[in-house]
Amino acid sequence: NVVTGLGLGGWGDLLFHIRAAVFFAEQGGWPNQSFFLAGQPVGYAFLADFISGLFWRLGFSIGNSFTIPTILLAAFFLLAFEWVVIRLTKSVRAAILSVVLFMGFGGLSGWSILPELSPDTWAKLRTLPHGITVWREQNYAVLNPFVMMLHQRSFLLGFPLFVVLLFLSWKFLEEKSLKVLGAITFAAILLAFFHPFTWLAFLMVFPAWMFWLTVFRVRSFSRRELLMTCAALALMALGGFLVVKGLQPSAGASSITLKIGWLATDISWIQFWIKNIGLYLVLGPLTVIYFWQRNRMLALLVLAGFTPFVAANLFQFAPWDWDNTKVFAPSWLILTIGVGSLISSWWEQDHPGVKMLALACLPILMLSGALEVARVIAYRSEPMVITSVADLSLGEAVRARLGKSAVLLTEPEASHPVFMYSGRPSFVAYEGWLWSQAWKGKYEQRLLDAKSIYQGNDASRELIKKNQIDYVVIGPPEVKAGANKQWFDSNYPAVLTQQDYTLFDVRGRGQTTQAKEVKPEGEL
């Protein structure tokens, strides 16, 4: 179980996705409000979690609801990737190498880690820093894209569609078919729903590929074809933007800021990228030169693939600078196609020195990424438990008693069991998930109101009414944060008490027990 482990071991994103999957399953379709910010649109693209929610609704466990679609979608992606590379290069060896390089993509960090892996390699893998290719203290900041797609689940749908779009783009640039251009337009807009960052990267790659083909006179296009392509690009951009804006109104151009060098703040830019993508920094440009006479379509695809790389080194595309990795990832995919094809071509040469060069490149290109994949497998073999049977039972009890649209107030903690398993919209969730997804300005007052409500006073009643909160949860996280449970006991009825958690029904109530109206004797 590479994805979640038998005990659902994982990190912050997994908690988030579990919450999303349970919410989608309970809401019985695509919901009309967010699961972590009640009253707001769903936000972002959680289609992979929607699929997991369907599995959970069919009776699968939480773990299997994530594992099964992840394995199926990852397998589909790898097969689609191989098929597209075969069509582009006419080489099965190049296709296999491209997939292998993608799965082991990384820089030079693996070599520095090796001395730490003995004598107990398996145990040491589990205790390495957060990813061998993600070690900020050592300026390693590129996450292996294969591991990325397992954790950041939108890639499970975004990557397969992206490679299909690369194939359709190749077909259009070869045949100039308007039907193919229409298919590209539709698929690109759909990609914005699957994964907005991959959609953004495609909007850079496709026109750049066509631009380089035109500039170097590899292909010529009539004025009509150019106008139709520009119109299609405008539709891709506008349609995708409306999708993203509909999911998350706070998203927009204001989220994009100039940040030259990305995370290369404590090291020179060149050194940073030598450490992070290693030999790819040399073999990428060499691929363009090598295939210039042999396969110019491939050479210029690799050149176009550098466009998101350059853009993400100049601009920050989300509130959290780390999210630029999602813009870089399609560049890594294209880079592995080019470098895989280059090494395959070298292997076909009769000169033994060239074959030795091809073999020597593989461990340098793959060591850190392969260790990262091994680290994940080692970690999942003995995962840290982040939930329990009692938590699942609590969630089941909450779901049985509350309407699916009931708004809950809990302490905004990532692993809160009621938050994770209630399947009901939350008034406000963990702040790290809110600011990083461009909800700035929508949640700050809610955090203040939540804190005031838990103080338990007259202002609490007004804030509950103002924010249209239906139920307030008080359990260990709330008590630890200073919640006044005694006040809620005196003012609101408890609809559920289980596992040290109490749910109070605060809809239209708020009078103290002493102040309740006493009806005349005999009156019902």
Side-chain angles (χ1 to χ4, degrees):
N1 190 338
V2 176
V3 188
T4 58
L6 296 177
L8 290 177
W11 44 303
D13 276 3
L14 182 56
L15 303 173
F16 185 82
H17 293 305
I18 290 172
R19 163 63 167 156
V22 174
F23 182 75
F24 288 142
E26 280 298 301
Q27 295 298 308
W30 195 260
N32 59 7
Q33 62 179 319
S34 168
F35 55 86
F36 55 73
L37 205 60
Q40 296 294 328
V42 171
Y44 205 59
F46 299 108
L47 193 56
D49 296 324
F50 181 81
I51 293 171
S52 290
L54 293 178
F55 274 79
W56 191 68
R57 208 172 164 84
L58 290 172
F60 289 89
S61 69
I62 289 288
N64 287 333
S65 295
F66 278 73
T67 303
I68 294 171
T70 297
I71 290 172
L72 293 176
L73 289 168
F76 173 74
F77 160 71
L78 294 175
L79 289 171
F81 189 15
E82 282 201 27
W83 180 79
V84 169
V85 178
I86 288 172
R87 296 299 301 271
L88 289 173
T89 65
K90 307 296 188 295
S91 169
V92 174
R93 182 187 295 109
I96 294 172
L97 269 174
S98 298
V99 169
V100 170
L101 288 175
F102 176 84
M103 293 178 72
F105 186 92
L108 302 179
S109 56
W111 301 99
S112 63
I113 296 293
L114 286 179
E116 302 182 29
L117 296 181
S118 60
D120 190 352
T121 302
W122 193 250
K124 291 292 180 64
L125 276 172
R126 294 189 74 248
T127 57
L128 285 173
H130 180 266
I132 297 164
T133 51
V134 186
W135 197 1
R136 295 287 287 270
E137 294 82 358
Q138 299 296 325
N139 282 300
Y140 295 118
V142 172
L143 184 63
N144 172 272
F146 184 64
V147 170
M148 179 187 291
M149 73 181 294
L150 299 181
H151 286 311
Q152 301 179 29
R153 293 169 50 77
S154 293
F155 277 123
L156 289 168
L157 294 163
F159 271 154
L161 188 54
F162 181 75
V163 296
V164 169
L165 276 164
L166 289 182
F167 171 73
L168 290 174
S169 300
W170 172 71
K171 291 284 288 182
F172 170 72
L173 295 171
E174 286 279 3
E175 302 172 2
K176 305 172 189 175
S177 166
L178 294 183
K179 289 184 179 179
V180 175
L181 184 61
I184 292 171
T185 304
F186 173 77
I189 295 172
L190 189 62
L191 183 57
F193 182 61
F194 285 3
H195 194 236
F197 288 101
T198 309
W199 160 75
L200 185 63
F202 178 74
L203 287 183
M204 301 178 197
V205 171
F206 174 59
W209 197 3
M210 187 172 180
F211 172 78
W212 292 122
L213 287 169
T214 306
V215 167
F216 291 110
R217 299 182 180 179
V218 178
R219 294 288 184 275
S220 60
F221 299 90
S222 66
R223 180 177 297 179
R224 178 173 178 270
E225 290 165 345
L226 289 172
L227 288 174
M228 293 299 292
T229 304
C230 288
L233 282 167
L235 279 175
M236 295 177 213
L238 178 61
F241 176 76
L242 291 175
V243 167
V244 175
K245 199 71 174 174
L247 291 171
Q248 192 165 320
S250 300
S254 60
S255 299
I256 303 174
T257 56
L258 182 68
K259 189 174 182 181
I260 298 174
W262 189 43
L263 300 178
T265 54
D266 301 325
I267 189 174
S268 75
W269 187 85
I270 294 293
Q271 284 180 292
F272 177 87
W273 283 111
I274 288 174
K275 294 183 76 171
N276 277 280
I277 61 174
L279 201 54
Y280 283 102
L281 202 62
V282 176
L283 294 183
L286 187 59
T287 297
V288 177
I289 297 170
Y290 182 85
F291 283 107
W292 184 251
Q293 296 299 331
R294 296 168 177 83
N295 186 342
R296 288 195 182 181
M297 285 291 288
L298 176 61
L300 294 179
L301 170 61
V302 176
L303 185 59
F306 280 105
T307 310
F309 174 77
V310 172
N313 272 290
L314 295 176
F315 298 95
Q316 181 176 317
F317 287 94
W320 189 23
D321 54 10
W322 184 255
D323 275 339
N324 265 24
T325 56
K326 300 171 185 178
V327 180
F328 284 116
S331 289
W332 310 149
L333 190 150
I334 293 172
L335 202 51
T336 57
I337 295 175
V339 173
S341 301
L342 176 66
I343 294 175
S344 176
S345 295
W346 283 351
W347 184 255
E348 293 171 359
Q349 304 298 316
D350 292 330
H351 196 289
V354 177
K355 287 183 180 290
M356 289 298 294
L357 177 63
L359 285 175
C361 286
L362 292 178
I364 300 174
L365 292 168
M366 292 182 57
L367 180 66
S368 63
L371 284 172
E372 168 70 358
V373 174
R375 183 195 71 83
V376 171
I377 295 173
Y379 181 78
R380 301 304 186 197
S381 67
E382 296 180 41
M384 177 181 67
V385 175
I386 61 170
T387 193
S388 66
V389 173
D391 290 342
L392 293 170
S393 176
L394 175 62
E396 186 176 1
V398 173
R399 296 192 302 271
R401 286 166 174 75
L402 273 58
K404 68 179 183 180
S405 61
V407 177
L408 297 179
L409 171 62
T410 67
E411 179 67 18
E413 183 180 274
S415 59
H416 197 295
V418 176
F419 168 76
M420 286 177 63
Y421 298 116
S422 68
R424 275 46 180 168
S426 292
F427 174 61
V428 66
Y430 175 57
E431 187 175 5
W433 295 332
L434 297 170
W435 71 261
S436 64
Q437 295 195 37
W439 286 107
K440 189 175 181 180
K442 301 288 186 181
Y443 69 87
E444 293 87 347
Q445 187 58 48
R446 293 195 185 196
L447 288 172
L448 295 175
D449 287 353
K451 187 174 181 179
S452 297
I453 289 170
Y454 276 122
Q455 288 176 359
N457 51 40
D458 290 340
S460 302
R461 297 190 187 94
E462 295 303 318
L463 288 171
I464 287 170
K465 182 178 179 181
K466 169 192 167 187
N467 290 298
Q468 299 180 344
I469 296 169
D470 298 310
Y471 297 89
V472 172
V473 180
I474 297 184
E478 289 77 20
V479 172
K480 183 179 178 181
N484 186 351
K485 185 175 185 296
Q486 185 178 359
W487 184 85
F488 281 91
D489 283 330
S490 301
N491 284 272
Y492 296 103
V495 295
L496 175 66
T497 299
Q498 184 172 320
Q499 194 193 336
D500 298 326
Y501 287 87
T502 303
L503 270 72
F504 294 95
D505 185 347
V506 297
R507 297 171 297 174
R509 299 175 177 86
Q511 300 298 317
T512 63
T513 303
Q514 293 81 0
K516 287 182 179 178
E517 180 182 356
V518 179
K519 295 184 180 297
E521 187 176 352
E523 183 177 342
L524 297 178

